[in-house]
Amino acid sequence: MEMSHKRHPTHVSAEGSFRKRKQDISHTQQKREERDGNPSSAVMLAFKTFQQELDTKHDKYERLVKLSRDITIESKRTIFLLHRVTSVPDVGEVLAESEDKLDGVKLKIKLIALELIGEDLYQYHRAFTPGIQEYVEAVSFQHFIKERSLISLEQINKDLIFTEDKQNEESEGLSSDSQDGKDKTVCFQVTPTDYLLGVADLTGELMRMCISSVGNGDIDTPFELSQFLRQVYDGFSYIGNTGPYEVSKKLYTLKQSLGKVEDACYALKVRGSEIPKHMLADVFSTRAALIESDEGIS
C-alpha cells in the first residue's frame, strides 16, 4: 500500500509567505545600505565635513572656557593681593608682586588671541568674557592704586599687544603664517562692553578698600574714593538703559557701592572725632549691613 506524501496546503502557504517577507527585508536593507552606507556619496561627504567643522569649533570653545577660568582665578588672586595696600608699610612691594601676577594673566590672554586668529571674535565671546571682565577689574584696581585715576580702554588694549618670534612659535608647536622669519604681532582687543562691566565691578572693590582704609586709621582715602565713585556713577548714568543689558544691571550695584562709601564719609565728617580710630571699621561695617538689609526689604 503506497502512502501519499502530499504537503498540507497550510504549510505551503506559510513557507511561501515567510520566504517573501525575508526577500522584502533583505531588499529593504540592501536599499538602505546603498543609500546611507556609501561613504563616497555627496550627502555623506557633506555631513562629514559639517561634523569636522562643529567638532573643531566645540573643541576651541572648550579651550577658551578653560583659559577664561584660569584668567578669572589669577585675576581674583591679584585683587586679593592689592587689598593689602591698606595694611602694609611698603606699597611698592605689593604693586610689584601684583605686576608679576598680571603678567601671567596676560600670557593666558595671549593664548586666547592665538586661538582667535582667523576667527570671528563674537562667535566665541561668551566663552572668555568672564575672564576678561575679571582681568579689567584687576588691572583697573591696580592702576587706581598707582595713579588714583581710571585706566582707559585704549591703554588696556595697548598692553595686550604681543610679539611672537618665529623661534618661540616653533618650540611651542604653534603654526606661523609668516615665511620670512620675521616676528609676528598678536593682539587681543577688549570689547567696550567687557571694559564697562569690569569697571562696574571695580566699584565694589573700591568700596571694600574704603572700609579697610578707615579701619587702619586712614580718613583721607574714603573722601577720595567717594569723589572717584561719583564720577564713575555719573558716567554710567549717561549710558542708562541705552547700553547693553548687562551694563544697566550693574548700575544698581554701582549705586549701592557709592551709597556705602558716601555713608562712611558722612559718618567720618560728623562723628569722626567722637569714634576712636580702632572702632571706625566696625561702625562702618555695621552701617553697611543695615543699608543692605533696608534695600533688601524695599
Side-chain angles (χ1 to χ4, degrees):
M1 182 176 177
E2 296 181 357
M3 298 183 64
S4 62
H5 297 283
K6 293 182 178 180
R7 305 179 67 180
H8 197 277
T10 305
H11 295 290
V12 175
S13 60
E15 290 179 0
S17 60
F18 175 75
R19 192 179 298 112
K20 184 178 180 181
R21 286 199 305 270
K22 189 175 181 181
Q23 290 176 355
D24 291 341
I25 293 173
S26 62
H27 183 65
T28 303
Q29 290 178 348
Q30 183 179 0
K31 289 180 66 178
R32 186 180 295 120
E33 290 175 357
E34 290 177 355
R35 183 186 62 191
D36 299 335
N38 186 6
S40 60
S41 65
V43 175
M44 290 296 294
L45 291 175
F47 274 92
K48 283 185 178 179
T49 303
F50 299 154
Q51 179 186 7
Q52 293 175 356
E53 291 178 357
L54 289 174
D55 288 344
T56 302
K57 181 178 179 179
H58 291 160
D59 292 342
K60 186 185 291 289
Y61 193 93
E62 291 301 322
R63 290 196 298 270
L64 291 173
V65 168
K66 185 178 182 303
L67 287 171
S68 177
R69 289 172 182 167
D70 295 339
I71 292 172
T72 300
I73 292 172
E74 293 301 323
S75 298
K76 285 183 179 295
R77 290 174 178 171
T78 305
I79 293 172
F80 296 153
L81 172 65
L82 289 170
H83 274 294
R84 292 171 48 197
V85 298
T86 59
S87 59
V88 296
D90 189 3
V91 178
E93 183 178 351
V94 175
L95 291 175
E97 187 176 351
S98 67
E99 192 68 38
D100 294 337
K101 286 184 175 294
L102 287 178
D103 288 340
V105 175
K106 291 176 185 177
L107 293 179
K108 300 287 186 181
I109 297 178
K110 177 183 176 182
L111 295 178
I112 293 180
L114 292 172
E115 290 282 359
L116 293 177
I117 292 178
E119 302 285 353
D120 183 4
L121 181 143
Y122 289 97
Q123 282 190 352
Y124 302 94
H125 184 247
R126 289 175 63 89
F128 58 82
T129 181
I132 298 302
Q133 292 176 28
E134 201 70 32
Y135 168 75
V136 171
E137 181 182 355
V139 74
S140 59
F141 190 29
Q142 184 201 52
H143 185 270
F144 177 81
I145 294 173
K146 286 182 178 179
E147 308 293 338
R148 287 297 193 264
S149 62
L150 180 64
I151 190 171
S152 64
L153 176 61
E154 291 76 14
Q155 187 170 352
I156 292 178
N157 287 331
K158 183 179 179 181
D159 294 336
L160 296 179
I161 299 176
F162 313 99
T163 301
E164 184 73 21
D165 58 59
K166 191 174 181 181
Q167 183 177 359
N168 288 340
E169 284 186 352
E170 293 175 352
S171 62
E172 295 176 3
L174 299 172
S175 60
S176 176
D177 297 333
S178 58
Q179 302 294 333
D180 52 1
K182 294 182 179 179
D183 295 344
K184 183 176 70 173
T185 300
V186 179
C187 62
F188 181 88
Q189 297 294 303
V190 176
T191 63
T193 301
D194 288 341
Y195 171 74
L196 290 175
L197 293 174
V199 171
D201 291 334
L202 168 67
T203 59
E205 304 303 330
L206 295 179
M207 183 269 296
R208 297 181 184 92
M209 181 181 178
C210 171
I211 303 301
S212 300
S213 300
V214 174
N216 293 312
D218 183 3
I219 60 176
D220 296 327
T221 300
F223 293 96
E224 188 176 2
L225 291 173
S226 177
Q227 293 179 359
F228 177 77
L229 288 176
R230 171 57 63 182
Q231 293 174 356
V232 173
Y233 178 75
D234 291 343
F236 273 85
S237 298
Y238 286 120
I239 300 175
N241 295 325
T242 60
Y245 173 68
E246 297 85 356
V247 175
S248 61
K249 284 201 309 182
K250 295 281 187 180
L251 189 61
Y252 177 73
T253 306
L254 196 160
K255 186 177 181 180
Q256 281 186 317
S257 300
L258 174 61
K260 293 172 186 177
V261 173
E262 288 182 338
D263 186 71
C265 293
Y266 171 80
L268 274 176
K269 198 72 173 177
V270 177
R271 300 183 56 195
S273 59
E274 302 174 0
I275 305 174
K277 289 185 177 181
H278 65 278
M279 296 178 59
L280 287 175
D282 295 334
V283 172
F284 293 145
S285 299
T286 304
R287 292 174 67 87
L290 290 174
I291 292 173
E292 289 180 351
S293 63
D294 291 340
E295 289 174 347
I297 294 173
S298 61

PDB file of all heavy atoms in Angstrom, residues 133-155:
ATOM      1  N   GLN A 133      36.522  90.260  31.857  1.00  0.00           N
ATOM      2  CA  GLN A 133      35.954  91.236  32.792  1.00  0.00           C
ATOM      3  C   GLN A 133      36.713  91.241  34.113  1.00  0.00           C
ATOM      4  O   GLN A 133      36.973  92.299  34.688  1.00  0.00           O
ATOM      5  CB  GLN A 133      34.483  90.911  33.038  1.00  0.00           C
ATOM      6  CG  GLN A 133      33.585  91.111  31.839  1.00  0.00           C
ATOM      7  CD  GLN A 133      32.159  90.674  32.106  1.00  0.00           C
ATOM      8  OE1 GLN A 133      31.690  90.709  33.243  1.00  0.00           O
ATOM      9  NE2 GLN A 133      31.450  90.252  31.072  1.00  0.00           N
ATOM     10  N   GLU A 134      37.081  90.066  34.590  1.00  0.00           N
ATOM     11  CA  GLU A 134      37.828  89.987  35.844  1.00  0.00           C
ATOM     12  C   GLU A 134      39.220  90.582  35.682  1.00  0.00           C
ATOM     13  O   GLU A 134      39.741  91.245  36.591  1.00  0.00           O
ATOM     14  CB  GLU A 134      37.930  88.527  36.291  1.00  0.00           C
ATOM     15  CG  GLU A 134      38.215  88.350  37.771  1.00  0.00           C
ATOM     16  CD  GLU A 134      37.050  88.747  38.645  1.00  0.00           C
ATOM     17  OE1 GLU A 134      35.900  88.586  38.220  1.00  0.00           O
ATOM     18  OE2 GLU A 134      37.294  89.240  39.780  1.00  0.00           O
ATOM     19  N   TYR A 135      39.828  90.388  34.508  1.00  0.00           N
ATOM     20  CA  TYR A 135      41.142  90.991  34.256  1.00  0.00           C
ATOM     21  C   TYR A 135      41.044  92.516  34.232  1.00  0.00           C
ATOM     22  O   TYR A 135      41.902  93.214  34.794  1.00  0.00           O
ATOM     23  CB  TYR A 135      41.701  90.482  32.927  1.00  0.00           C
ATOM     24  CG  TYR A 135      42.899  91.263  32.450  1.00  0.00           C
ATOM     25  CD1 TYR A 135      44.149  91.101  33.045  1.00  0.00           C
ATOM     26  CD2 TYR A 135      42.787  92.181  31.414  1.00  0.00           C
ATOM     27  CE1 TYR A 135      45.251  91.826  32.613  1.00  0.00           C
ATOM     28  CE2 TYR A 135      43.871  92.909  30.971  1.00  0.00           C
ATOM     29  CZ  TYR A 135      45.106  92.729  31.575  1.00  0.00           C
ATOM     30  OH  TYR A 135      46.193  93.462  31.145  1.00  0.00           O
ATOM     31  N   VAL A 136      40.006  93.051  33.584  1.00  0.00           N
ATOM     32  CA  VAL A 136      39.810  94.504  33.550  1.00  0.00           C
ATOM     33  C   VAL A 136      39.640  95.047  34.963  1.00  0.00           C
ATOM     34  O   VAL A 136      40.196  96.101  35.321  1.00  0.00           O
ATOM     35  CB  VAL A 136      38.596  94.866  32.668  1.00  0.00           C
ATOM     36  CG1 VAL A 136      38.255  96.345  32.796  1.00  0.00           C
ATOM     37  CG2 VAL A 136      38.872  94.518  31.222  1.00  0.00           C
ATOM     38  N   GLU A 137      38.905  94.321  35.780  1.00  0.00           N
ATOM     39  CA  GLU A 137      38.717  94.746  37.169  1.00  0.00           C
ATOM     40  C   GLU A 137      40.047  94.778  37.914  1.00  0.00           C
ATOM     41  O   GLU A 137      40.339  95.735  38.648  1.00  0.00           O
ATOM     42  CB  GLU A 137      37.746  93.786  37.860  1.00  0.00           C
ATOM     43  CG  GLU A 137      37.455  94.153  39.308  1.00  0.00           C
ATOM     44  CD  GLU A 137      36.523  93.153  39.974  1.00  0.00           C
ATOM     45  OE1 GLU A 137      36.040  92.227  39.282  1.00  0.00           O
ATOM     46  OE2 GLU A 137      36.282  93.294  41.191  1.00  0.00           O
ATOM     47  N   ALA A 138      40.872  93.748  37.727  1.00  0.00           N
ATOM     48  CA  ALA A 138      42.157  93.676  38.440  1.00  0.00           C
ATOM     49  C   ALA A 138      43.113  94.765  37.968  1.00  0.00           C
ATOM     50  O   ALA A 138      43.746  95.458  38.779  1.00  0.00           O
ATOM     51  CB  ALA A 138      42.775  92.296  38.248  1.00  0.00           C
ATOM     52  N   VAL A 139      43.237  94.935  36.648  1.00  0.00           N
ATOM     53  CA  VAL A 139      44.210  95.898  36.134  1.00  0.00           C
ATOM     54  C   VAL A 139      43.750  97.333  36.410  1.00  0.00           C
ATOM     55  O   VAL A 139      44.584  98.228  36.658  1.00  0.00           O
ATOM     56  CB  VAL A 139      44.442  95.666  34.627  1.00  0.00           C
ATOM     57  CG1 VAL A 139      43.280  96.136  33.784  1.00  0.00           C
ATOM     58  CG2 VAL A 139      45.724  96.333  34.155  1.00  0.00           C
ATOM     59  N   SER A 140      42.443  97.586  36.413  1.00  0.00           N
ATOM     60  CA  SER A 140      41.957  98.935  36.741  1.00  0.00           C
ATOM     61  C   SER A 140      42.118  99.230  38.229  1.00  0.00           C
ATOM     62  O   SER A 140      42.381 100.378  38.622  1.00  0.00           O
ATOM     63  CB  SER A 140      40.497  99.084  36.319  1.00  0.00           C
ATOM     64  OG  SER A 140      39.689  98.116  36.965  1.00  0.00           O
ATOM     65  N   PHE A 141      41.993  98.204  39.066  1.00  0.00           N
ATOM     66  CA  PHE A 141      42.211  98.376  40.507  1.00  0.00           C
ATOM     67  C   PHE A 141      43.672  98.711  40.779  1.00  0.00           C
ATOM     68  O   PHE A 141      43.987  99.610  41.570  1.00  0.00           O
ATOM     69  CB  PHE A 141      41.793  97.102  41.233  1.00  0.00           C
ATOM     70  CG  PHE A 141      41.738  97.240  42.733  1.00  0.00           C
ATOM     71  CD1 PHE A 141      41.461  98.455  43.343  1.00  0.00           C
ATOM     72  CD2 PHE A 141      41.945  96.135  43.545  1.00  0.00           C
ATOM     73  CE1 PHE A 141      41.405  98.583  44.724  1.00  0.00           C
ATOM     74  CE2 PHE A 141      41.896  96.244  44.929  1.00  0.00           C
ATOM     75  CZ  PHE A 141      41.626  97.463  45.518  1.00  0.00           C
ATOM     76  N   GLN A 142      44.570  98.001  40.117  1.00  0.00           N
ATOM     77  CA  GLN A 142      45.997  98.290  40.284  1.00  0.00           C
ATOM     78  C   GLN A 142      46.331  99.700  39.795  1.00  0.00           C
ATOM     79  O   GLN A 142      47.087 100.436  40.432  1.00  0.00           O
ATOM     80  CB  GLN A 142      46.823  97.261  39.522  1.00  0.00           C
ATOM     81  CG  GLN A 142      48.322  97.418  39.708  1.00  0.00           C
ATOM     82  CD  GLN A 142      49.117  96.751  38.597  1.00  0.00           C
ATOM     83  OE1 GLN A 142      48.869  96.996  37.416  1.00  0.00           O
ATOM     84  NE2 GLN A 142      50.060  95.891  38.968  1.00  0.00           N
ATOM     85  N   HIS A 143      45.752 100.078  38.649  1.00  0.00           N
ATOM     86  CA  HIS A 143      46.026 101.406  38.090  1.00  0.00           C
ATOM     87  C   HIS A 143      45.507 102.502  39.016  1.00  0.00           C
ATOM     88  O   HIS A 143      46.154 103.557  39.168  1.00  0.00           O
ATOM     89  CB  HIS A 143      45.383 101.525  36.714  1.00  0.00           C
ATOM     90  CG  HIS A 143      45.712 102.798  36.002  1.00  0.00           C
ATOM     91  ND1 HIS A 143      44.954 103.948  36.124  1.00  0.00           N
ATOM     92  CD2 HIS A 143      46.741 103.125  35.167  1.00  0.00           C
ATOM     93  CE1 HIS A 143      45.478 104.905  35.392  1.00  0.00           C
ATOM     94  NE2 HIS A 143      46.563 104.440  34.801  1.00  0.00           N
ATOM     95  N   PHE A 144      44.358 102.279  39.646  1.00  0.00           N
ATOM     96  CA  PHE A 144      43.829 103.291  40.558  1.00  0.00           C
ATOM     97  C   PHE A 144      44.737 103.459  41.771  1.00  0.00           C
ATOM     98  O   PHE A 144      44.959 104.584  42.240  1.00  0.00           O
ATOM     99  CB  PHE A 144      42.418 102.908  41.008  1.00  0.00           C
ATOM    100  CG  PHE A 144      41.834 103.873  42.004  1.00  0.00           C
ATOM    101  CD1 PHE A 144      41.262 105.058  41.576  1.00  0.00           C
ATOM    102  CD2 PHE A 144      41.889 103.612  43.368  1.00  0.00           C
ATOM    103  CE1 PHE A 144      40.742 105.963  42.494  1.00  0.00           C
ATOM    104  CE2 PHE A 144      41.373 104.506  44.289  1.00  0.00           C
ATOM    105  CZ  PHE A 144      40.799 105.689  43.843  1.00  0.00           C
ATOM    106  N   ILE A 145      45.243 102.355  42.295  1.00  0.00           N
ATOM    107  CA  ILE A 145      46.133 102.449  43.452  1.00  0.00           C
ATOM    108  C   ILE A 145      47.401 103.219  43.087  1.00  0.00           C
ATOM    109  O   ILE A 145      47.922 104.003  43.893  1.00  0.00           O
ATOM    110  CB  ILE A 145      46.479 101.039  43.969  1.00  0.00           C
ATOM    111  CG1 ILE A 145      45.208 100.366  44.523  1.00  0.00           C
ATOM    112  CG2 ILE A 145      47.543 101.092  45.048  1.00  0.00           C
ATOM    113  CD1 ILE A 145      45.407  98.926  44.904  1.00  0.00           C
ATOM    114  N   LYS A 146      47.876 103.032  41.866  1.00  0.00           N
ATOM    115  CA  LYS A 146      49.093 103.725  41.440  1.00  0.00           C
ATOM    116  C   LYS A 146      48.842 105.191  41.120  1.00  0.00           C
ATOM    117  O   LYS A 146      49.544 106.083  41.607  1.00  0.00           O
ATOM    118  CB  LYS A 146      49.673 103.037  40.188  1.00  0.00           C
ATOM    119  CG  LYS A 146      50.356 101.710  40.424  1.00  0.00           C
ATOM    120  CD  LYS A 146      50.903 101.187  39.106  1.00  0.00           C
ATOM    121  CE  LYS A 146      51.649  99.883  39.265  1.00  0.00           C
ATOM    122  NZ  LYS A 146      52.154  99.368  37.965  1.00  0.00           N
ATOM    123  N   GLU A 147      47.834 105.445  40.274  1.00  0.00           N
ATOM    124  CA  GLU A 147      47.641 106.767  39.686  1.00  0.00           C
ATOM    125  C   GLU A 147      46.446 107.531  40.245  1.00  0.00           C
ATOM    126  O   GLU A 147      46.281 108.713  39.926  1.00  0.00           O
ATOM    127  CB  GLU A 147      47.482 106.637  38.164  1.00  0.00           C
ATOM    128  CG  GLU A 147      48.581 105.849  37.479  1.00  0.00           C
ATOM    129  CD  GLU A 147      49.920 106.551  37.533  1.00  0.00           C
ATOM    130  OE1 GLU A 147      49.929 107.788  37.707  1.00  0.00           O
ATOM    131  OE2 GLU A 147      50.957 105.867  37.373  1.00  0.00           O
ATOM    132  N   ARG A 148      45.599 106.857  41.026  1.00  0.00           N
ATOM    133  CA  ARG A 148      44.367 107.480  41.511  1.00  0.00           C
ATOM    134  C   ARG A 148      43.501 107.999  40.361  1.00  0.00           C
ATOM    135  O   ARG A 148      42.902 109.075  40.417  1.00  0.00           O
ATOM    136  CB  ARG A 148      44.680 108.619  42.484  1.00  0.00           C
ATOM    137  CG  ARG A 148      45.179 108.133  43.844  1.00  0.00           C
ATOM    138  CD  ARG A 148      44.087 107.303  44.524  1.00  0.00           C
ATOM    139  NE  ARG A 148      44.339 107.044  45.928  1.00  0.00           N
ATOM    140  CZ  ARG A 148      44.904 105.946  46.417  1.00  0.00           C
ATOM    141  NH1 ARG A 148      45.309 104.995  45.598  1.00  0.00           N
ATOM    142  NH2 ARG A 148      45.063 105.792  47.729  1.00  0.00           N
ATOM    143  N   SER A 149      43.418 107.206  39.294  1.00  0.00           N
ATOM    144  CA  SER A 149      42.592 107.556  38.141  1.00  0.00           C
ATOM    145  C   SER A 149      42.116 106.264  37.480  1.00  0.00           C
ATOM    146  O   SER A 149      42.560 105.167  37.835  1.00  0.00           O
ATOM    147  CB  SER A 149      43.373 108.411  37.129  1.00  0.00           C
ATOM    148  OG  SER A 149      44.488 107.683  36.618  1.00  0.00           O
ATOM    149  N   LEU A 150      41.201 106.407  36.533  1.00  0.00           N
ATOM    150  CA  LEU A 150      40.634 105.254  35.840  1.00  0.00           C
ATOM    151  C   LEU A 150      41.440 104.958  34.585  1.00  0.00           C
ATOM    152  O   LEU A 150      41.705 105.854  33.778  1.00  0.00           O
ATOM    153  CB  LEU A 150      39.175 105.527  35.478  1.00  0.00           C
ATOM    154  CG  LEU A 150      38.435 104.405  34.739  1.00  0.00           C
ATOM    155  CD1 LEU A 150      38.331 103.159  35.619  1.00  0.00           C
ATOM    156  CD2 LEU A 150      37.049 104.871  34.306  1.00  0.00           C
ATOM    157  N   ILE A 151      41.826 103.717  34.421  1.00  0.00           N
ATOM    158  CA  ILE A 151      42.569 103.315  33.234  1.00  0.00           C
ATOM    159  C   ILE A 151      41.633 103.328  32.034  1.00  0.00           C
ATOM    160  O   ILE A 151      40.439 103.031  32.145  1.00  0.00           O
ATOM    161  CB  ILE A 151      43.196 101.917  33.440  1.00  0.00           C
ATOM    162  CG1 ILE A 151      44.188 101.599  32.308  1.00  0.00           C
ATOM    163  CG2 ILE A 151      42.128 100.847  33.553  1.00  0.00           C
ATOM    164  CD1 ILE A 151      44.989 100.334  32.562  1.00  0.00           C
ATOM    165  N   SER A 152      42.145 103.698  30.883  1.00  0.00           N
ATOM    166  CA  SER A 152      41.323 103.783  29.672  1.00  0.00           C
ATOM    167  C   SER A 152      41.322 102.448  28.932  1.00  0.00           C
ATOM    168  O   SER A 152      42.207 101.604  29.113  1.00  0.00           O
ATOM    169  CB  SER A 152      41.849 104.882  28.744  1.00  0.00           C
ATOM    170  OG  SER A 152      43.155 104.556  28.287  1.00  0.00           O
ATOM    171  N   LEU A 153      40.326 102.275  28.091  1.00  0.00           N
ATOM    172  CA  LEU A 153      40.247 101.065  27.270  1.00  0.00           C
ATOM    173  C   LEU A 153      41.425 100.985  26.310  1.00  0.00           C
ATOM    174  O   LEU A 153      41.961  99.897  26.060  1.00  0.00           O
ATOM    175  CB  LEU A 153      38.920 101.058  26.499  1.00  0.00           C
ATOM    176  CG  LEU A 153      38.708  99.904  25.511  1.00  0.00           C
ATOM    177  CD1 LEU A 153      38.735  98.558  26.224  1.00  0.00           C
ATOM    178  CD2 LEU A 153      37.386 100.085  24.767  1.00  0.00           C
ATOM    179  N   GLU A 154      41.842 102.121  25.776  1.00  0.00           N
ATOM    180  CA  GLU A 154      42.971 102.133  24.851  1.00  0.00           C
ATOM    181  C   GLU A 154      44.251 101.654  25.528  1.00  0.00           C
ATOM    182  O   GLU A 154      45.047 100.920  24.938  1.00  0.00           O
ATOM    183  CB  GLU A 154      43.179 103.543  24.275  1.00  0.00           C
ATOM    184  CG  GLU A 154      42.082 104.007  23.332  1.00  0.00           C
ATOM    185  CD  GLU A 154      40.814 104.410  24.060  1.00  0.00           C
ATOM    186  OE1 GLU A 154      40.871 104.584  25.308  1.00  0.00           O
ATOM    187  OE2 GLU A 154      39.770 104.559  23.392  1.00  0.00           O
ATOM    188  N   GLN A 155      44.450 102.066  26.780  1.00  0.00           N
ATOM    189  CA  GLN A 155      45.653 101.652  27.488  1.00  0.00           C
ATOM    190  C   GLN A 155      45.633 100.153  27.796  1.00  0.00           C
ATOM    191  O   GLN A 155      46.659  99.483  27.732  1.00  0.00           O
ATOM    192  CB  GLN A 155      45.800 102.454  28.781  1.00  0.00           C
ATOM    193  CG  GLN A 155      47.122 102.220  29.501  1.00  0.00           C
ATOM    194  CD  GLN A 155      47.339 103.195  30.633  1.00  0.00           C
ATOM    195  OE1 GLN A 155      46.572 104.144  30.790  1.00  0.00           O
ATOM    196  NE2 GLN A 155      48.373 102.982  31.429  1.00  0.00           N
TER     197      GLN A 155
END
